[in-house]
Amino acid sequence: MNAIDHEFIEEIRDSARDFLQRRDQRQRKRKAAGDREYWKEIASVGWLGMSVPEALGGLGLGWHAMAAVLEEAGRAQLPEPLVGAGVLATTLLARIAPAGDAGPRDRLLDAICRGERVVGLAWQETEGQLEAGEAAGAFGVTVTAREGAYVLNGEKRHVIPGADVDGWLVTADGEAGSALFYLPAGTPGVTVHAHERADGSPACHLAIESAVLAPDALLARAGVLDAVDEAIDYGRLMQSAELVGIARQVLADSVAYLNTRTQFGRPLSSFQALQHRLVDAAMQVELAANSLLDALNAIAAAPGDAKTRKAAASRVKARAARAGIEASRLAIQLHGAIGYTDECDVSLYFRSALHLGAWLGNATAHRQRYGALAPDPAPPADDDNGVDDASDAQFPREADWNAMPEAQFRAMLRRFFRAHYPEHLRHVPWRLHWDEIKDWYFTLSRQSWIAPAWPREHGGMALSPARQIAFIEEAERYGVARAPDQGLVMLGPILIRYGTEAQRARFLPGILSGEAVWAQGYSEPNAGSDLASLRCEAVIDGDELVVTGQKTWSTLAQDATHMFMLVRTDKTVKKQAGISFLLVDLASPGVSRRPIRTLSGHEEFCEVFFDQVRVPRDNVVGELNAGWDIAKALLGFERLFSGSPKHASHALQQIFSIARQRGLLADPAFTDRLAELRLDSADLTAMYRVFADLARAGRPLPPELSLLKIWATETHERLGALLIQIAEEYGGAAMRLGYGNGNVHALAPYVNALAATIFSGTNEIQRNIYAKQVLGLQGA
């Protein structure tokens, strides 16, 4: 992703939006007003050759740029078949190795890019076909060489575009294998059975009976099916971008409608039930958009890896199809009776989503394909290819971690964990107390690996988002428990950004060494999700602040030496404006603590009481009464951490462990449900990467982060529910009783996810935040 110029991509997007807005595309779509002259205008702005390499006469701008164009085309409802007559044909022609003279291929590709020819791809021979090489039965197209020409027979189905085309690229099977031909429209023996898609797009089935083609109609012989599959996968990625555009626009239209339409004397936008439904639809859209970005990055990083491309394309298409159809379906519901009419624009988007969602494979088919292609989430073997040497020389304290090949980085981590992490603490499904995990904390500290995300100048590893995720994944796969890390993942980044040099010098070394163990002091008995209502007070007394009040739900505060907390330092202003961010030594006189036992039987939280506790004024981070902005940033870090995919990853490992023992992987109903949850987990990882990238770059985390917290915790909960289901009686056993060999605690993911949906602001509050701050719903 480092090679992608985001500003340039946004310029492409703005240019596409400007071009499309010059005409009323929605009315053109209603009138089926696609025409050749406008197609040439589209070609003139470079869209048809945008992803074609420069060496073949294209612009060579890549798929990120093309996706931006397709998203805007979806938003505007462009009637022209940009994917069918643009992406599929040009991608295939650019990918093939020409049979003999490259002239016919090059001239055809040039004509398509200039808009002089409209050419479709005829590859599909049966319903539900996902790859070109799948057996088509008796009706597949065959080719026979005869008297210096080629004779084609057979059928192709669901060809788009299906009208006003100059010809088709047709795959055919013969004695020499598969080949690719250019079949001109009007060729004797070719019958076009035209039909319309749900949105009015022209499609057709081709019946080919003894169609004779000249020798130069043969475009390719070698690797044809692989080339077609690659073109189709890129087509799926681009139609997914179009579906994202459809969903974004229809949600924007719905928000505008709800903000103006009143019922029962109130704007519809003020009803929380409607707000939350819109947020959930928006979440599917953002998952699809992030999944698309993640897939394009992954494919660009491994351009020759067909399995990665296929799995990525199916993952994105499954999510985008769901997002487009659900968003447009919800828009109809929210618009009421008018939404069910043709005159309402949401009907255009709904029909387009139905068309794109089903063409080139629907969500169910791609979910199953992804499940078959995605790598097994099982943890790696402990022996790491039989390498048993774990000498300290293998584990440098400093290196250019981001330049190290990822496979090598991961292998090094696995060896280190195997050499140094206590075996008896692997896969513990509850939070460990300091006395149980401190030796591991000290080990990481000595290794200088204790702070993966911190900058080097402050003692961290400075890992990129990708390497951070690799670190988290490998730790989770090995079963490394989470140490008391509030100082590492929350306070440290805050001090690095907002603290003074003196505060960083005073507090960061203690976090790194483990000398100081920090707890968070935010929530109070009546200030949980409504955090700005806190009442714990700090009164200025010379060079000190005197703190009186109570904090609750402080994770493992019974083990902490210090607390970072929010205190009220001014009661005369609005509640957000009179809050300060304060660092407190919990050994100070007047501090007392009471552990809280959770429903799992674990003392994970504490109440902490402050009775006239005196704290140096130098312990205020940032300006006095300016702690609210710091608090929001800190909540962002907390929500980012709670949105980590590691919990879902571990739950998947546990599910696979039980599924193998019970033979469930041969059960189609189970594997379909599992594939859906694996998609949820993969798309969570994609969304997490986007926000992790922002955090690593030092950019503020936006309110859209609420979606990450919601999706991560609810995905974890769904995985936990499946784990309980397949664990049978162990799904209701004592919390600490392991399934089978004892390594799987069936209840832990589900119960832990319940807590995660509550802390850092409940998921309902996160939906409210998104509805108000991102969607702009009035009354939210």
Side-chain angles (χ1 to χ4, degrees):
M1 190 58 200
N2 292 336
I4 303 303
D5 186 338
H6 294 282
E7 292 185 4
F8 178 68
I9 298 301
E10 289 310 305
E11 290 175 4
I12 294 288
R13 185 188 304 280
D14 291 341
S15 174
R17 186 181 299 120
D18 177 69
F19 175 84
L20 291 163
Q21 287 176 349
R22 295 174 194 170
R23 296 199 187 184
D24 189 338
Q25 304 295 347
R26 299 184 189 189
Q27 288 305 316
R28 294 184 70 241
K29 183 84 174 232
R30 281 194 169 88
K31 297 175 182 178
D35 61 73
R36 283 299 186 101
E37 291 306 312
Y38 194 68
W39 188 250
K40 290 181 179 179
E41 288 186 44
I42 289 174
S44 71
V45 294
W47 292 359
L48 301 183
M50 182 169 284
S51 60
V52 175
E54 292 182 86
L56 293 175
L59 297 180
L61 297 182
W63 293 107
H64 290 80
M66 194 72 225
V69 170
L70 263 300
E71 183 176 332
E72 292 306 315
R75 294 192 77 141
Q77 282 297 281
L78 176 72
E80 278 73 19
L82 197 51
V83 172
V87 172
L88 294 180
T90 58
T91 304
L92 177 56
L93 289 173
R95 169 71 170 75
I96 60 172
D101 182 14
R105 188 278 305 270
D106 293 346
R107 288 190 292 272
L108 181 58
L109 180 58
D110 179 67
I112 294 173
C113 290
R114 286 189 284 112
E116 295 179 355
R117 286 198 192 182
V118 177
V119 175
L121 171 59
W123 68 279
Q124 188 172 349
E125 297 175 346
T126 186
E127 278 64 45
Q129 186 177 351
L130 295 182
E131 297 187 3
E134 293 178 11
F139 302 106
V141 172
T142 60
V143 60
T144 304
R146 183 186 302 169
E147 299 178 356
Y150 297 101
V151 180
L152 271 57
N153 285 280
E155 295 182 5
K156 295 290 185 181
R157 304 184 63 76
H158 305 291
V159 182
I160 298 174
D164 193 28
V165 299
D166 297 296
W168 300 274
L169 300 175
V170 179
T171 55
D173 293 325
E175 292 183 358
S178 298
L180 181 69
F181 293 88
Y182 176 62
L183 175 65
T187 298
V190 177
T191 303
V192 178
H193 299 284
H195 62 274
E196 288 188 351
R197 302 288 296 166
D199 66 339
S201 295
C204 71
H205 303 318
L206 294 179
I208 306 172
E209 185 175 357
S210 299
V212 180
L213 299 180
D216 63 357
L218 175 64
L219 297 175
R221 282 193 182 278
V224 167
L225 297 184
D226 289 340
V228 171
D229 284 343
E230 184 171 350
I232 296 168
D233 280 334
Y234 278 114
R236 288 163 178 147
L237 290 166
M238 294 304 102
Q239 70 174 184
S240 295
E242 195 171 352
L243 281 161
V244 167
I246 287 170
R248 287 198 194 282
Q249 187 59 49
V250 82
L251 286 178
D253 290 348
S254 296
V255 168
Y257 181 80
L258 294 186
N259 280 339
T260 57
R261 177 75 170 172
T262 60
Q263 290 286 329
F264 308 107
R266 297 167 54 190
L268 286 174
S269 58
S270 66
F271 292 91
Q272 190 176 76
L274 302 185
Q275 296 168 11
H276 287 192
R277 290 187 69 181
L278 271 170
V279 171
D280 287 342
M283 182 155 50
Q284 292 298 321
V285 179
E286 294 308 316
L287 285 166
N290 292 329
S291 179
L292 174 59
L293 176 62
D294 189 63
L296 294 177
N297 293 342
I299 293 170
D305 189 338
K307 189 174 182 180
T308 292
R309 185 199 71 238
K310 291 179 180 182
S314 283
R315 176 182 130 215
V316 176
K317 176 62 190 292
R319 180 65 61 191
R322 175 179 175 182
I325 292 172
E326 287 187 3
S328 54
R329 165 64 184 86
L330 176 62
I332 292 173
Q333 182 71 29
L334 296 179
H335 279 73
I338 189 66
Y340 192 66
T341 66
D342 178 69
E343 64 190 70
C344 183
D345 284 341
V346 298
S347 66
L348 287 176
Y349 290 90
F350 178 62
R351 292 196 297 267
S352 290
L354 289 174
H355 152 54
L356 291 172
W359 180 42
L360 302 183
N362 61 29
T364 299
H366 282 292
R367 182 173 65 241
Q368 293 171 345
R369 184 184 189 224
Y370 174 79
L373 291 170
D376 192 332
D382 287 350
D383 58 43
D384 196 30
N385 297 324
V387 178
D388 293 323
D389 179 19
S391 66
D392 289 340
Q394 289 185 299
F395 311 125
R397 299 178 71 246
E398 294 185 4
D400 188 350
W401 308 114
N402 299 321
M404 182 182 293
E406 183 168 328
Q408 180 182 341
F409 180 72
R410 287 177 178 270
M412 178 191 68
L413 291 174
R414 292 196 293 270
R415 290 195 302 271
F416 183 81
F417 296 150
R418 189 175 64 250
H420 296 288
Y421 187 75
E423 180 69 24
H424 69 283
L425 295 182
R426 293 183 64 186
H427 301 291
V428 177
W430 47 83
R431 290 293 296 269
L432 295 176
H433 287 281
W434 177 246
D435 63 330
E436 299 173 288
I437 197 67
K438 64 182 180 182
D439 289 342
W440 171 243
Y441 194 106
F442 294 150
T443 297
L444 288 175
S445 176
R446 288 190 299 269
Q447 185 64 25
S448 297
W449 291 4
I450 191 66
W454 288 20
R456 288 186 183 277
E457 60 267 28
H458 295 297
M461 296 178 73
L463 297 186
S464 67
R467 288 294 180 273
Q468 289 180 47
I469 290 172
F471 195 105
I472 290 169
E473 287 178 347
E474 293 304 331
E476 186 66 27
R477 285 171 181 166
Y478 194 76
V480 176
R482 180 180 172 185
D485 55 7
Q486 305 275 25
L488 291 169
V489 301
M490 301 175 73
L491 179 59
I494 286 296
L495 290 177
I496 290 169
R497 181 178 298 182
Y498 296 100
T500 65
E501 285 295 334
Q503 288 172 337
R504 287 191 283 268
R506 184 178 164 200
F507 294 113
L508 293 183
I511 297 174
L512 293 172
S513 68
E515 180 181 353
V517 179
W518 289 83
Q520 182 194 52
Y522 268 25
S523 296
E524 298 180 9
N526 292 305
S529 295
D530 185 13
L531 190 58
S533 298
L534 62 89
R535 294 183 295 176
C536 185
E537 184 180 14
V539 177
I540 300 173
D541 184 12
D543 292 334
E544 295 182 317
L545 281 77
V546 181
V547 181
T548 301
Q550 177 185 355
K551 294 294 178 181
T552 192
W553 313 125
S554 297
T555 302
L556 298 178
Q558 62 267 53
D559 299 334
T561 61
H562 295 74
M563 174 176 282
F564 55 91
M565 60 189 298
L566 295 179
V567 292
R568 185 160 301 285
T569 45
D570 190 342
K571 296 180 180 180
T572 65
V573 295
K574 67 177 184 179
K575 58 184 183 180
Q576 287 91 348
I579 294 173
S580 297
F581 192 97
L582 189 63
L583 309 179
V584 179
D585 186 339
L586 293 180
S588 303
V591 176
S592 60
R593 294 172 252 194
R594 184 185 75 86
I596 300 173
R597 186 178 297 273
T598 69
L599 62 84
S600 66
H602 184 48
E603 290 185 348
E604 187 174 342
F605 306 109
C606 263
E607 288 183 296
V608 185
F609 302 91
F610 301 87
D611 182 10
Q612 300 288 305
V613 177
R614 306 189 76 84
V615 182
R617 187 164 178 171
D618 288 344
N619 284 21
V620 175
V621 179
E623 298 294 326
L624 195 70
N625 298 320
W628 184 247
D629 287 340
I630 298 176
K632 289 192 295 184
L634 187 53
L635 279 173
F637 281 112
E638 186 174 6
R639 288 167 189 160
L640 177 63
F641 188 84
S642 65
S644 166
K646 70 176 184 179
H647 305 295
S649 175
H650 182 49
L652 273 175
Q653 293 170 21
Q654 293 177 305
I655 288 170
F656 265 78
S657 176
I658 292 180
R660 289 191 190 92
Q661 293 180 53
R662 299 193 56 214
L664 294 175
L665 296 178
D667 180 347
F670 172 78
T671 55
D672 187 61
R673 175 62 177 147
L674 180 60
E676 182 177 11
L677 289 171
R678 293 182 72 185
L679 276 169
D680 290 348
S681 182
D683 290 340
L684 165 62
T685 299
M687 180 178 279
Y688 176 79
R689 284 190 176 122
V690 171
F691 291 108
D693 200 0
L694 291 176
R696 181 66 182 88
R699 296 168 62 185
L701 292 168
E704 286 88 346
L705 185 64
S706 292
L707 293 186
L708 176 67
K709 196 264 184 179
I710 296 169
W711 188 251
T713 55
E714 294 181 2
T715 297
H716 191 203
E717 186 174 359
R718 288 192 295 273
L719 287 163
L722 181 60
L723 185 63
I724 287 175
Q725 174 188 328
I726 65 174
E728 300 294 353
E729 287 79 7
Y730 280 96
M735 289 289 296
R736 299 202 176 195
L737 180 63
Y739 178 96
N741 60 13
N743 289 332
V744 175
H745 295 82
L747 281 177
Y750 189 73
V751 172
N752 291 338
L754 291 178
T757 62
I758 297 171
F759 64 60
S760 303
T762 68
N763 285 9
E764 289 70 29
I765 293 296
Q766 301 308 314
R767 285 179 167 87
N768 292 347
I769 291 172
Y770 193 90
K772 180 178 182 179
Q773 297 186 19
V774 180
L775 294 180
L777 285 164
Q778 297 176 12

